[in-house]
Amino acid sequence: MNFRMGLAAGAGGAVAAMSARRLGHRILGASGRSLVQKLRRRLEQRLERRLERAVRRLTAEAEHGGPLVKAALAGAKALYEGKSPFRALLTFGWTALKETLARIFGRGRRGKPTNIAEQTDVGAPRRLVYDQWTRFEDFPSFMKKVVSVDQTEDGKLHWKAKIFWSSRTWESTIVEQVPDEHIVWRSKGPKGHVDGTVSFHELAPNLTRVLLVLEYRPVGLFERTGNLWRAQGRRTRLELKHFRRHVMTQALARPNEVEGWRGEIRGGEIVTTPE
């Protein structure tokens, strides 16, 4: 009995020792993981503080610094906002290029006006061509760079269009409008403005010439750079082609559905309204 009891006691002690070791490993494993997490959080907080100090320092220096300082600030801000190092590097490169070009072309100055004159002949009656043109809110459906047109009043228009990969907005006011003859407008916008006249000339009963004359005054880097490339003239030419195609493929097939605005404006004031 004593021998058996001794064996049982020995076996029980071994099991207890093994359980204690397992428990100890678990405790040490949990505390070890907790310690690693604490160390990682401390390291992240230290890096965030350093990055925040770097952003503040670069912000102060960027006011009088060159393109590289401003690019470094943009990259540091991207990292501070949680973006990947690759995205931060792209931000750095793009900012450096933009700031360098801004120094070359100048910043905040109004560019020289560009005069654009384009025309297109549309195989449709003048009244139909004119009516379709006055449906400004239809422009985004067939013009590639026009995003939206909101006509708040008969003579007031709010435009949004794409310039490269950015968007630009401006407001235009019609100062003169004579049905089937011409429309004259003036505009204003933070990134430049375009004033212009469009006129409609009957060449034959079913052939109308649309003459568009614009004076474009760019403000901003993209606008001035595009001005050097004469991009606005090419874009105007393309949009006129889109207008001609729309009239001849859509409006000409359903002329009774094209209801234009046939009021008259003189000196910015509406003198007659459609009946």
Side-chain angles (χ1 to χ4, degrees):
M1 292 294 294
N2 292 335
F3 177 72
R4 291 181 179 177
M5 290 177 63
L7 287 177
V15 171
M18 290 178 64
S19 299
R21 282 197 298 271
R22 289 176 181 174
L23 180 60
H25 286 314
R26 290 179 182 176
I27 294 174
L28 288 175
S31 61
R33 286 193 297 271
S34 177
L35 179 61
V36 170
Q37 291 175 355
K38 289 180 180 179
L39 290 174
R40 186 174 62 186
R41 283 197 297 269
R42 289 179 182 177
L43 180 60
E44 290 175 351
Q45 291 172 356
R46 184 178 301 175
L47 290 175
E48 287 179 358
R49 286 194 296 270
R50 289 184 178 179
L51 189 57
E52 186 177 358
R53 287 196 296 268
V55 169
R56 287 199 300 268
R57 178 174 55 82
L58 289 171
T59 301
E61 295 178 358
E63 295 181 0
H64 306 288
L68 290 180
V69 175
K70 294 179 180 180
L73 173 61
K77 282 185 176 180
L79 286 174
Y80 185 70
E81 291 170 358
K83 295 181 180 179
S84 68
F86 178 73
R87 292 290 300 277
L89 183 61
L90 288 179
T91 302
F92 171 86
W94 167 243
T95 304
L97 175 62
K98 184 174 64 174
E99 292 296 328
T100 301
L101 290 176
R103 283 199 166 194
I104 294 173
F105 295 111
R107 185 193 302 274
R109 297 181 308 201
R110 290 186 175 274
K112 295 181 179 179
T114 297
N115 295 313
I116 302 171
E118 297 291 342
Q119 66 181 40
T120 186
D121 294 340
V122 184
R126 181 168 66 167
R127 181 183 177 112
L128 177 62
V129 175
Y130 172 85
D131 285 348
Q132 180 61 70
W133 187 277
T134 61
R135 296 173 61 89
F136 300 105
E137 294 182 342
D138 290 348
F139 279 18
S141 66
F142 57 84
M143 290 188 176
K144 298 299 182 182
K145 294 298 181 178
V146 180
V147 177
S148 64
V149 182
D150 296 322
Q151 189 161 7
T152 55
E153 302 175 27
D154 287 334
K156 301 285 186 181
L157 300 165
H158 182 79
W159 298 75
K160 183 177 181 180
K162 292 181 181 178
I163 304 294
F164 296 104
W165 49 84
S166 300
S167 296
R168 297 289 184 264
T169 59
W170 68 92
E171 293 181 355
S172 60
T173 301
I174 298 174
V175 296
E176 186 165 311
Q177 182 168 350
V178 180
D180 300 330
E181 292 188 14
H182 61 263
I183 302 172
V184 183
W185 69 90
R186 300 290 181 264
S187 65
K188 59 181 180 179
K191 292 295 185 178
H193 65 274
V194 55
D195 300 333
T197 300
V198 59
S199 57
F200 307 86
H201 308 269
E202 184 179 83
L203 303 180
N206 290 310
L207 183 61
T208 303
R209 174 165 294 172
V210 179
L211 178 60
L212 182 63
V213 178
L214 305 175
E215 185 181 74
Y216 176 66
R217 293 183 177 273
V219 175
L221 175 62
F222 288 155
E223 287 73 13
R224 291 195 299 273
T225 305
N227 216 24
L228 294 177
W229 298 338
R230 300 290 177 180
Q232 291 81 7
R234 291 194 296 273
R235 174 48 53 189
T236 301
R237 200 155 47 242
L238 287 173
E239 298 294 26
L240 275 178
K241 289 181 179 179
H242 295 320
F243 173 76
R244 180 179 61 189
R245 183 178 65 247
H246 179 77
V247 172
M248 298 186 67
T249 60
Q250 302 296 324
L252 197 59
R254 299 184 297 273
N256 294 331
E257 298 179 11
V258 180
E259 296 181 2
W261 191 79
R262 304 193 63 79
E264 185 172 343
I265 298 176
R266 299 280 186 179
E269 300 291 335
I270 300 175
V271 294
T272 62
T273 56
E275 296 180 358

